[in-house]
């Protein structure tokens, strides 16, 4: 670890005033208490030249399964809207559609007889979900429509799919989680609540494992929970892992799932100490089990003659994994919100890490 990395991670604790853990300054990253976090470096970071104060929050990948080099990443701005990025970090499109928190995508959504990529994000001004459509043939994104919610401010958000049914999953600061089926109406998206679930306090990060029919939700100061994603199934939560400040430190923020061959991993943003715990997921249904693998943190890279180093990542809100080939990463990649980009003071952005880098650090074979 370089002196610059150590200095960055120690100094980053001062930024806690802008985070949910503002009252409790604790060591970050490789200096975090508890299970040692293994260092990894990011390969790419996003760059926005038109706004010096991007208020980033949550990313989401998409890649063409027939040609994974055709890929984009979506990233929300909590003040302004939605960015569409190329995988070199540059901006393709920007939609100034209001304060967006979490974003997610699903492919194959039928609109006017054409399979589109559905993009949706929680909109915290009008209290609802904003949607866009991307044509997979051209990678062009267009604004689609807004769905109001009846839960007040939709704080966190993810999406899921069950066969031909597509679902929006907002949650709020009171712990209410809704499963909203979305369909294409004559004038835009139509949403119908098919299931409601409840946790005891503020929620945000969530991810749906479509293949397993499971929803994972982070209760920020409590831990990670699992729900049956079948609308007709139980709405009772099952605890996956509590806040213990050894493997998982409050706030629990983003959640994502990485599939690597026959293996599946649940990955969380432990925002309070800037680390990312990883669990191997095995079994199905009520017998699903979670084996802790370890945790990692993203440190400063090293500058080379071919390019500037990507800086460390602290206080991550949202993260996302793409399983399998995407862009230049043959085994997959993960994207992370970074609370303070360097050297661009006041700028937040997203970092992309090669999945192979994380596997190497954690000894995953």
């Amino acid at each position: 670890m370089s002196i610059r990395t150590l200095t960055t991670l120690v100094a980053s604790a001062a930024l806690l005033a802008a985070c949910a853990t503002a009252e409790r300054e604790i060591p970050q990253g490789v200096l975090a208490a508890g299970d040692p976090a293994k260092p990894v470096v990011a390969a790419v970071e996003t760059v926005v030249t038109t706004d010096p104060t991007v208020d980033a929050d949550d990313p989401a990948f998409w890649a063409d399964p027939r040609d994974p080099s055709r890929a984009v990443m979506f990233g929300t701005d909590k003040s302004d809207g939605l960015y569409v990025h190329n995988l070199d970090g540059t901006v393709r499109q920007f939609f100034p559609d209001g304060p967006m928190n979490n974003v997610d995508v699903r492919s194959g959504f039928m609109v006017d007889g054409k399979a589109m990529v559905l993009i949706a994000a929680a909109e915290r001004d009008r209290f609802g979900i904003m949607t866009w459509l991307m044509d997979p043939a051209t990678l062009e994104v267009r604004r689609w429509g807004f769905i109001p919610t009846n839960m007040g401010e939709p704080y966190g958000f993810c999406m899921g799919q069950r066969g031909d049914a597509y679902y929006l999953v907002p949650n709020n600061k009171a712990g209410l989680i809704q499963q909203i089926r979305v369909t294409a109406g004559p004038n835009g998206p139509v949403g119908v609540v098919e299931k409601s679930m409840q946790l005891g306090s503020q929620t945000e990060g969530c991810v749906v494992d479509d293949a397993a029919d499971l929803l994972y939700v982070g209760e920020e100061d409590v831990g990670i929970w699992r729900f049956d994603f079948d609308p007709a199934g139980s709405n009772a939560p099952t605890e996956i892992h509590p806040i213990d400040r050894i493997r998982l430190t409050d706030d629990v923020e983003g959640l994502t799932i990485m599939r690597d061959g026959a293996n599946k991993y649940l990955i969380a943003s432990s925002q309070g100490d800037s680390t990312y715990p990883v669990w191997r997921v095995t079994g199905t249904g009520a017998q699903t089990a979670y084996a802790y693998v370890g945790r990692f943190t993203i440190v400063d890279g090293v500058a080379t003659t071919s390019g500037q180093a990507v800086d460390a990542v602290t206080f991550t809100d949202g993260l996302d994994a793409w399983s399998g080939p995407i862009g230049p990463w043959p085994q997959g990649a993960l994207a992370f919100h970074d609370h303070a980009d360097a050297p661009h003071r006041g700028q937040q952005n997203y970092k992309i890490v090669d999945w192979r880098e994380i596997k190497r650090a954690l000894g995953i074979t």
Side-chain angles (χ1 to χ4, degrees):
M1 181 174 64
S2 69
I3 292 175
R4 178 171 173 248
T5 297
L6 178 61
T7 302
T8 298
L9 291 169
V10 172
S12 292
L15 295 170
L16 281 164
C19 297
T21 50
E23 299 82 6
R24 189 168 47 82
E25 295 186 6
I26 62 174
Q28 301 292 301
V30 294
L31 304 179
D35 187 46
K38 305 298 176 60
V40 305
V41 296
V44 171
E45 63 182 331
T46 58
V47 178
V48 175
T49 60
T50 53
D51 182 354
T53 57
V54 172
D55 190 11
D57 189 86
D58 188 52
F61 283 118
W62 182 87
D64 186 339
R66 298 165 299 180
D67 180 3
S69 67
R70 301 181 66 250
V72 296
M73 189 187 77
F74 305 95
T76 58
D77 185 318
K78 286 189 289 189
S79 300
D80 298 327
L82 181 80
Y83 284 93
V84 187
H85 289 279
N86 298 303
L87 292 193
D88 64 359
T90 57
V91 176
R92 290 179 60 89
Q93 291 180 269
F94 174 64
F95 295 88
D97 290 337
M100 304 295 165
N101 206 38
N102 298 143
V103 62
D104 209 350
V105 304
R106 287 296 185 276
S107 297
F109 185 78
M110 300 302 297
V111 179
D112 297 330
K114 182 177 177 62
M116 303 292 282
V117 180
L118 175 63
I119 307 118
E123 207 269 37
R124 297 170 60 183
D125 184 18
R126 294 178 291 170
F127 292 178
I129 299 165
M130 187 65 196
T131 64
W132 303 262
L133 297 171
M134 184 176 77
D135 186 338
T138 64
L139 303 188
E140 287 301 304
V141 178
R142 63 178 172 89
R143 186 180 293 106
W144 192 32
F146 179 79
I147 300 174
T149 55
N150 61 359
M151 58 163 36
E153 179 187 2
Y155 193 60
F157 176 77
C158 56
M159 293 175 65
Q161 184 178 349
R162 304 184 74 245
D164 294 332
Y166 289 73
Y167 290 93
L168 312 174
V169 188
N171 59 64
N172 68 16
K173 294 181 180 180
L176 174 63
I177 306 146
Q178 290 184 338
Q179 186 170 335
I180 302 172
R181 183 166 182 177
V182 58
T183 56
N187 300 308
V190 176
V192 176
V193 178
E194 292 194 355
K195 186 176 185 178
S196 294
M197 294 150 279
Q198 184 73 50
L199 289 172
S201 61
Q202 182 166 310
T203 55
E204 183 175 2
C206 64
V207 64
V208 178
D209 184 342
D210 294 345
D213 221 14
L214 295 174
L215 164 67
Y216 297 93
V217 180
E219 188 176 2
E220 291 195 352
D221 295 330
V222 179
I224 301 170
W225 301 87
R226 182 186 80 208
F227 289 92
D228 185 346
F229 198 59
D230 183 347
S234 170
N235 60 2
T238 299
E239 185 180 69
I240 302 304
H241 199 283
I243 297 290
D244 58 6
R245 298 184 185 171
I246 297 172
R247 298 173 175 174
L248 187 63
T249 297
D250 46 322
D251 292 345
V252 181
E253 290 286 339
L255 297 173
T256 193
I257 292 169
M258 170 62 80
R259 295 171 181 84
D260 184 8
N263 296 315
K264 183 190 304 182
Y265 300 91
L266 175 66
I267 305 171
S269 166
S270 177
Q271 188 187 64
D273 59 7
S274 300
T275 65
Y276 310 93
V278 180
W279 293 268
R280 181 178 287 109
V281 183
T282 58
T284 60
Q287 304 306 313
T288 305
Y290 307 86
Y292 177 69
V293 174
R295 61 181 186 161
F296 64 93
T297 188
I298 304 167
V299 301
D300 285 325
V302 178
T304 67
T305 55
S306 61
Q308 180 68 33
V310 179
D311 59 297
V313 176
T314 51
F315 310 129
T316 292
D317 282 309
L319 74 166
D320 188 49
W322 183 268
S323 304
I326 181 170
W329 304 292
Q331 294 184 24
L334 287 91
F336 303 82
H337 157 258
D338 181 16
H339 175 73
D341 183 44
H344 307 105
R345 186 175 180 85
Q347 178 85 284
Q348 299 186 23
N349 70 352
Y350 300 98
K351 267 66 171 182
I352 301 176
V353 178
D354 188 333
W355 171 235
R356 293 172 298 179
E357 173 82 358
I358 298 167
K359 290 174 66 176
R360 176 199 56 77
L362 296 182
I364 295 172
T365 57

